[in-house]
Amino acid sequence: MRLLLNALLTTMATSRVGRVGIIGGGVGGCSAAKTISNALGSAVEVTVYEIGRGPGGRAATRRTREFPTLHVNHGAPTAQIVTEEGRKAIEAAGGEEVKGGHGTLNSSTGEFQEEEEGGWLFVGEGGVMGNLAASLIEGTGANVKTKYNSMVRGLERAANGDDGSWILRNGAGEILGEADWLVVAGSGVAHPRWTATFGNEPPLVEAAKALGDSQLDSSLKAIASQTASPVIAVFFVLSGSEAQRWLDLPFKVAKIEGNEVLGKVMIQRTGEEGYEVAVVLHSSRAFAETNKGVYGSTSSAKRVGGAKSDKGKEDELNAMMLEALAEIPQIPEVPMTCKYGPVLHRWGNAFVVGEGLSRENSMCRDAKVAFCGDYVETDAPLSSIECALLAGKQTGEAIVKEIKGGA
Ligand SMILES: Cc1cc2nc3c(=O)[nH]c(=O)nc-3n(C[C@H](O)[C@H](O)[C@H](O)COP(=O)(O)OP(=O)(O)OC[C@H]3O[C@@H](n4cnc5c(N)ncnc54)[C@H](O)[C@@H]3O)c2cc1C
Ligand SMILES: *[C@@H]1O[C@H](CO)[C@@H](O)[C@H](O)[C@H]1NC(C)=O
């Protein structure tokens, strides 16, 4: 009798569809979703929870209601790929290779120096960086669901032996979903910086206290030792002869050397009449550090998380970045009125600083938590699109193995 019951229970457990909840729809989370969905098909149900209106995360593209076809890559402008595996992955995601126009700009002379080819440079399909994450989950089929405008604010593991599910909640404490496996694809819910913004303990840290899983604890400790460096982005859109002056410059993406305020300038051809060029400025790290705490009024943290923004301070930073740009010789004047912008966007955690979470600690089998994203160790440099792509693949494969092994 007992044996029979056990056999029955085992069959029930194995025939059930595995549920994977991915927190974060950036390149890392989407790469994991794709890997898991492709390998397991209808034996798995993947749900991606994302604060933003769509996928992309830091490899994002801004769109606007006024100009429906305008797109501005205001996060990562390109992905520099150094591994063969990364190249395959980015090509499979519709990444397009770009050549020329990448290098450094001397801010006191305005001289541009083309960079020696080191690795391969890519953008998303059609030059739209946001397409990279999107194309990873497009065509994955019905077993991948996406929940946008959904911020996970609470996590707990239902106490039900090995079969306990992860429960994901929103800010109001309502259940967003349940999962057997949790994939943390953006370290926010696991990192102490959560507390600085929202006051309470990071949701996964809170949940881990109740679990007492030593491996999860050590993963969280490693994540807590990482820090992040911010970038302030400002972009504006031009048309006609004003746009042409920027297209005549010898570069598309230039690191700015010797400037206290600016770190990078990017000139993007939109291909759309009426707003042909988008110019994006990225601040230096030091400038963003000294002006911490100023969010763009449109940032996700402000919109969903309720973080404060200060319009006056924002305008001041915006003006300072444009002034610094105007001081660089040979750079065209920014007209008093642009087609769109200048708009400021603050990336509070643009780059990961510290040591990557080890491959071993990116998979906590007993706690049924896995980590992926540009803060996890791969063959690519930390804090890059390539790293996020590879970490998603690596963590996705580890989960596939677990779900298959359990069956
Ligand atoms: C200004 C800037 C310039 C950059 N330049 C380059 C470059 O030149 N080359 C390069 O390779 N890389 C660059 N990067 C880095 C690159 O963008 C990232 O390494 C990569 O996009 C990280 O992907 P990810 O999936 O790991 O993380 P993310 O893209 O950050 O994805 C995490 C996602 O999780 C979501 N999320 C977080 N918390 C929650 C929650 N509680 N609930 C639901 N969703 C949540 C976030 O909204 C986000 O979409 C740049 C980044 C920035 C910001
Ligand atoms: C910029 O060019 C000037 C003149 O050639 C040079 O003296 C200076 O060192 C350069 N600055 C940087 C940061 O390379």
Side-chain angles (χ1 to χ4, degrees):
M1 188 65 196
R2 182 141 202 170
L3 268 176
L4 197 69
L5 193 67
N6 272 346
L8 193 71
L9 283 174
T10 317
T11 333
M12 274 169 65
T14 55
S15 58
R16 211 187 44 164
V17 168
R19 299 165 305 170
V20 181
I22 300 182
I23 305 176
V27 170
C30 291
S31 168
K34 178 185 177 166
T35 305
I36 296 166
S37 153
N38 282 357
L40 296 172
S42 58
V44 75
E45 200 182 277
V46 180
T47 311
V48 179
Y49 301 87
E50 167 57 49
I51 306 174
R53 296 185 184 91
R58 280 171 281 157
T61 300
R62 265 286 273 274
R63 296 179 186 277
T64 143
R65 239 174 261 126
E66 288 142 279
F67 303 104
T69 54
L70 174 67
H71 56 266
V72 180
N73 300 329
H74 67 320
T78 47
Q80 191 176 34
I81 306 291
V82 296
T83 73
E84 195 55 46
E85 194 190 7
R87 185 188 171 107
K88 277 190 200 134
I90 204 160
E91 278 174 350
E96 287 173 358
E97 195 168 348
V98 288
K99 282 207 167 88
H102 291 253
T104 54
L105 185 68
N106 180 320
S107 88
S108 47
T109 63
E111 242 173 273
F112 173 70
Q113 175 106 45
E114 187 84 41
E115 206 157 82
E116 296 285 313
E117 291 297 321
W120 308 289
L121 292 165
F122 282 87
V123 288
E125 200 180 323
V128 183
M129 195 44 101
N131 281 351
L132 213 59
S135 67
L136 287 164
I137 47 170
E138 261 163 32
T140 41
N143 61 343
V144 176
K145 291 188 176 60
T146 48
K147 291 197 178 176
Y148 298 123
N149 299 303
S150 301
M151 181 175 194
V152 177
R153 296 280 298 260
L155 287 170
E156 83 206 59
R157 178 87 184 272
N160 190 14
D162 281 345
D163 250 6
S165 305
W166 277 102
I167 299 171
L168 296 81
R169 294 184 193 272
N170 67 12
E174 295 153 352
I175 295 182
L176 284 171
E178 289 186 32
D180 303 311
W181 284 91
L182 199 64
V183 177
V184 179
S187 65
V189 292
H191 193 276
R193 69 170 171 268
W194 174 282
T195 309
T197 314
F198 302 112
N200 61 335
E201 284 245 62
L204 190 59
V205 173
E206 188 71 50
K209 275 194 201 156
L211 276 178
D213 180 89
S214 61
Q215 195 193 3
L216 179 58
D217 290 345
S218 105
S219 302
L220 289 172
K221 205 172 150 200
I223 290 170
S225 77
Q226 300 175 336
T227 56
S229 71
V231 167
I232 298 173
V234 164
F235 66 88
F236 52 88
V237 177
L238 304 170
S239 76
S241 59
E242 278 162 354
Q244 193 55 49
R245 276 182 224 133
W246 291 85
L247 293 176
D248 291 342
L249 292 174
F251 59 86
K252 291 184 227 155
V253 176
K255 273 181 226 139
I256 302 178
E257 286 191 331
N259 200 288
E260 278 169 23
V261 177
L262 298 177
K264 231 177 209 184
V265 53
M266 286 126 310
I267 301 163
Q268 295 167 34
R269 188 191 283 271
T270 69
E272 300 289 341
E273 210 178 309
Y275 41 95
E276 294 88 355
V277 163
V279 179
V280 183
L281 309 174
H282 285 169
S283 73
S284 69
R285 178 176 171 179
F287 185 74
E289 294 275 9
T290 43
N291 293 292
K292 254 186 181 154
V294 182
Y295 292 88
S297 50
T298 57
S299 76
S300 295
K302 163 81 185 123
R303 202 163 48 80
V304 187
K308 289 192 196 78
S309 93
D310 176 342
K311 188 76 181 87
K313 183 80 179 151
E314 199 183 307
D315 289 345
E316 197 183 305
L317 299 184
N318 203 324
M320 282 169 86
M321 286 179 57
L322 291 173
E323 240 166 70
L325 180 73
E327 280 166 12
I328 302 174
Q330 312 193 42
I331 290 285
E333 206 177 314
V334 180
M336 288 300 282
T337 49
C338 300
K339 278 283 164 185
Y340 185 75
V343 174
L344 179 136
H345 181 93
R346 195 185 133 84
W347 297 99
N349 314 294
F351 300 107
V352 185
V353 181
E355 237 177 86
L357 179 67
S358 70
R359 286 167 217 243
E360 196 197 346
N361 273 347
S362 69
M363 180 62 177
C364 301
R365 283 179 187 80
D366 296 336
K368 296 201 168 171
V369 180
F371 299 88
C372 73
D374 68 344
Y375 64 101
V376 170
E377 184 191 311
T378 66
D379 288 340
L382 213 61
S383 199
S384 67
I385 289 180
E386 183 178 23
C387 180
L389 262 175
L390 296 182
K393 197 161 168 274
Q394 170 177 300
T395 295
E397 280 164 0
I399 287 197
V400 167
K401 213 168 137 194
E402 288 299 314
I403 292 181
K404 269 191 174 164

